[in-house]
Amino acid sequence: MAKLYFRFGAMNSGKSTAMLQAAFNYEERGQQVLIAKPSIDTKGDLQIVSRLGVTRDADFLIAPDTDVRVEFAARRDEVVLQTGSEVSCLLIDEAQFLTPSQVDDLLRIAILDGVPVLAYGIRSDFQTAGFPGSIRLLEVAHSLEELKTICRCGRKAIFNARRVGDRYVFDGAQVAIDGEDVTYESLCGACYLEESHGVLGRH
């Protein structure tokens, strides 16, 4: 039986790089993959952007109202028509932005359609609250794997701190894509508590 995998980590833990490597590994063996990401992630538009500088276009975007299983079936049929080969894996970048029902679609693709699904994302936002998509993945994925990165102090980073300019902020909308005004830094628990004055969760 194919499985749903959730590979998660703090910001800068190499999630997109690992996903692109997984795609390369499949294709190096002559197998077909499909790559998708939520449309809410406007960084790079259709592109998957690795912090190492590697980029690749996603095969399709997932809007908040997309039925992922239906969209996957249509794209899979296109691949079979063009290449004569079945899709061996579906890879999802920024999976935290999926809705819980879309995560359920991923589980159905793995179990009912027999196609492994590798979802990559972060668990929690800058206020340490779980993203709905990540919460559902933690609940239903067959396999969980943490991708590790380090804090500025050298400890393991587990939290994602939001910065506006040179200032840490702990209130605002859950989703703010990093760019010119907003950036993120991965922090360990001690450094996060230091910057947030000991406060966790919603402020």
Side-chain angles (χ1 to χ4, degrees), residues 46-186:
L46 194 64
Q47 280 193 326
I48 307 297
V49 181
S50 162
R51 292 183 185 274
L52 291 183
V54 180
T55 61
R56 173 173 173 162
D57 284 347
D59 295 293
F60 63 96
L61 297 178
I62 301 170
D65 59 350
T66 298
D67 183 314
V68 182
R69 191 177 178 212
V70 169
E71 184 67 20
F72 169 75
R75 300 289 179 159
R76 181 185 58 188
D77 289 346
E78 291 176 5
V79 170
V80 172
L81 188 63
Q82 292 169 3
T83 69
S85 300
E86 273 289 347
V87 171
S88 297
C89 184
L90 172 62
L91 300 111
I92 307 290
D93 196 33
E94 304 290 357
Q96 70 272 8
F97 295 139
L98 298 176
T99 66
S101 64
Q102 288 173 333
V103 172
D104 291 345
D105 288 339
L106 300 184
L107 186 65
R108 294 186 186 98
I109 290 169
I111 295 175
L112 301 179
D113 301 329
V115 177
V117 180
L118 279 58
Y120 295 78
I122 59 178
R123 287 185 301 178
S124 57
D125 65 16
F126 72 111
Q127 294 176 315
T128 70
F131 285 95
S134 298
I135 292 171
R136 189 61 180 149
L137 280 161
L138 290 168
E139 291 170 339
V140 302
H142 295 91
S143 175
L144 302 173
E145 179 185 347
E146 184 177 15
L147 304 176
K148 299 176 178 63
T149 190
I150 59 171
C151 177
R152 63 193 184 194
C153 69
R155 299 186 186 98
K156 175 184 165 185
I158 57 174
F159 295 124
N160 307 295
R162 180 181 291 175
R163 298 178 63 142
V164 176
D166 59 0
R167 181 174 60 92
Y168 290 96
V169 297
F170 296 93
D171 54 13
Q174 184 175 53
V175 178
I177 304 300
D178 56 343
E180 184 177 346
D181 297 321
V182 174
T183 58
Y184 292 89
E185 183 179 351
S186 305

